[in-house]
Amino acid sequence: MEILGASLRICVDDLEAAIPFYERLAGGRALRFARGGVEVAAVGSFLLMSGPEAELEILRKVAATIAVKDIEDAHRTLTGLGARIIAGPVSTPAGRNLIAMHPDGAVFEYVDHRG
């Protein structure tokens, strides 16, 4: 499994107010999308999320988002190492993802940018 990078997941109360700070910090523009009732802005290594508390409560349990070259390869590697796949792989607006619980209990989202 080839890991390409990771994004820090940050839940914010006011996405519009948070975006300018992170754009200046990261030196780039936010890429925005919605997932269910949650509004998301990807800015550099930061993934800002805002929405209903019930949905954010679930998202807070995921430690980080890890970009991989191929989600199917990640799935095979993770299960081979004893991780439990909680959800996915599924298609998303940007590619595919899965959520896995590592043997130590840490939960991560893995994503690729393939269709």
Side-chain angles (χ1 to χ4, degrees):
M1 170 176 68
E2 185 176 344
I3 295 176
L4 305 175
S7 295
L8 304 170
R9 299 164 65 94
I10 304 167
C11 295
V12 298
D13 292 330
D14 185 343
L15 192 62
E16 298 306 320
I19 287 174
F21 172 83
Y22 285 95
E23 284 180 334
R24 290 182 63 200
L25 181 65
R29 302 281 301 158
L31 301 173
R32 299 187 59 160
F33 57 95
R35 187 95 191 262
V38 176
E39 294 292 320
V40 180
V43 188
S45 295
F46 302 99
L47 196 58
L48 310 175
M49 300 174 288
S50 185
E53 185 55 38
E55 292 189 44
L56 293 179
E57 183 180 340
I58 295 167
L59 294 173
R60 283 188 184 100
K61 295 177 181 176
V62 178
T65 297
I66 300 171
V68 295
K69 186 172 183 180
D70 179 60
I71 204 71
E72 298 301 332
D73 185 33
H75 186 275
R76 284 189 298 276
T77 300
L78 289 162
T79 56
L81 293 171
R84 182 169 62 91
I85 305 304
I86 297 171
V90 296
S91 293
T92 70
R96 300 174 297 170
N97 79 341
L98 66 79
I99 297 176
M101 180 181 291
H102 293 184
D104 62 7
V107 178
F108 293 90
E109 176 186 36
Y110 289 82
V111 300
D112 71 14
H113 294 290
R114 302 170 86 183

